[in-house]
Amino acid sequence: MRKNFILLFIVVASSAFSQSAHRYKNDLGFNVTSLLSEVIGIGNQGDNPVFNVSYRRKGNKSAIRLSAHVGYNKDNSINEIDFSELSLNESDYRFRIGYEKMLDLSNKFKMLYGIDALGLYSSSISSSSTGLRNDVTEFKFGGGPALRLEYKISERVSLMTESTLYFLTGWSEDVLHLGGQQLANERNTTFNLNTQIPSVLFLNVHF
């Protein structure tokens, strides 16, 4: 992970030294919070929806932002009690679109404020060689206001943090099978109000 961070730093540093007066209309942002947490031990994103990549198309004083996240995890292990084989497959997909206004605070700092809409889907399938299988799926959608602060390192590179207030609703389903037969099926409707203080950091490359 530290090697990836160093490589990303080299790419950004090379972009920073190739400055020009051109006004760039696009930027691509990378969530580096987890990388910084690995390297210097900061960053806590909690239970809030996290997005790894963000794209922004800028106008004169406003912009459209798209953000996404794709996560996948697969794990196989052995139960130490009965020596049965255990398998876990997890997937996580998130998408966000937003409209924001841009306000220059100084030559280096810029405030962005607007509203986001987002959708979240996650799936977890755990199974055992004994025939037991548990499927858990969750879908949420919603939105809310967003406030972001951007610091310009150069014409090509900037850092950004954000604070959001999202209302999310949706459903979750928990299904238990044994030997191909359904034992239980629990479905719930969910309502959440997620607040996030500025605890994430994006590294933006402008082009």
Side-chain angles (χ1 to χ4, degrees):
M1 185 68 73
R2 297 193 179 192
K3 291 182 179 179
N4 293 335
F5 179 79
I6 293 172
L7 180 60
L8 183 60
F9 176 79
I10 293 173
V11 172
V12 171
S14 63
S15 298
F17 285 106
S18 60
Q19 301 183 34
S20 70
H22 182 73
R23 186 176 184 274
Y24 299 99
K25 292 285 190 178
N26 307 280
D27 64 62
L28 194 61
F30 303 92
N31 189 334
V32 296
T33 312
S34 59
L35 293 177
L36 291 176
S37 180
E38 289 270 343
V39 176
I40 58 178
I42 67 170
N44 179 19
Q45 301 176 66
D47 297 326
N48 296 292
V50 178
F51 297 87
N52 289 342
V53 180
S54 178
Y55 168 77
R56 179 175 59 178
R57 174 67 179 182
K58 292 180 286 188
N60 291 329
K61 289 294 182 180
S62 62
I64 298 294
R65 180 182 300 276
L66 301 175
S67 305
H69 169 89
V70 176
Y72 180 75
N73 176 57
K74 184 175 182 179
D75 182 62
N76 295 302
S77 59
I78 301 295
N79 190 321
E80 296 181 355
I81 298 177
D82 59 4
F83 301 102
S84 60
E85 298 180 359
L86 304 176
S87 175
L88 176 64
N89 288 274
E90 296 175 311
S91 57
D92 183 18
Y93 306 95
R94 307 168 199 162
F95 180 76
R96 177 175 70 180
I97 184 171
Y99 174 80
E100 60 191 26
K101 289 284 191 177
M102 300 181 291
L103 177 64
D104 291 327
L105 301 179
S106 68
N107 291 334
K108 291 289 187 179
F109 286 96
K110 181 180 296 184
M111 185 174 69
L112 315 167
Y113 58 95
I115 190 167
D116 294 338
L118 61 156
L120 317 171
Y121 174 81
S122 64
S123 172
S124 175
I125 302 174
S126 56
S127 59
S128 168
S129 57
T130 61
L132 189 65
R133 172 175 167 143
N134 186 210
D135 296 0
V136 179
T137 56
E138 186 175 36
F139 173 73
K140 294 181 181 179
F141 65 95
L147 180 65
R148 299 176 174 94
L149 184 65
E150 186 174 1
Y151 173 76
K152 183 173 71 173
I153 298 176
S154 73
E155 294 296 329
R156 296 291 299 271
V157 180
S158 66
L159 293 174
M160 185 190 71
T161 187
E162 65 181 22
S163 179
T164 57
L165 177 63
Y166 292 148
F167 173 77
L168 300 174
T169 185
W171 55 264
S172 63
E173 187 173 36
D174 190 339
V175 183
L176 185 64
H177 295 88
L178 179 61
Q181 298 295 319
Q182 181 174 300
L183 298 180
N185 187 344
E186 183 179 352
R187 185 182 177 98
N188 297 305
T189 302
T190 61
F191 298 94
N192 302 102
L193 184 64
N194 293 81
T195 59
Q196 178 175 282
I197 61 174
S199 57
V200 295
L201 186 65
F202 281 87
L203 182 65
N204 298 327
V205 178
H206 306 265
F207 59 96

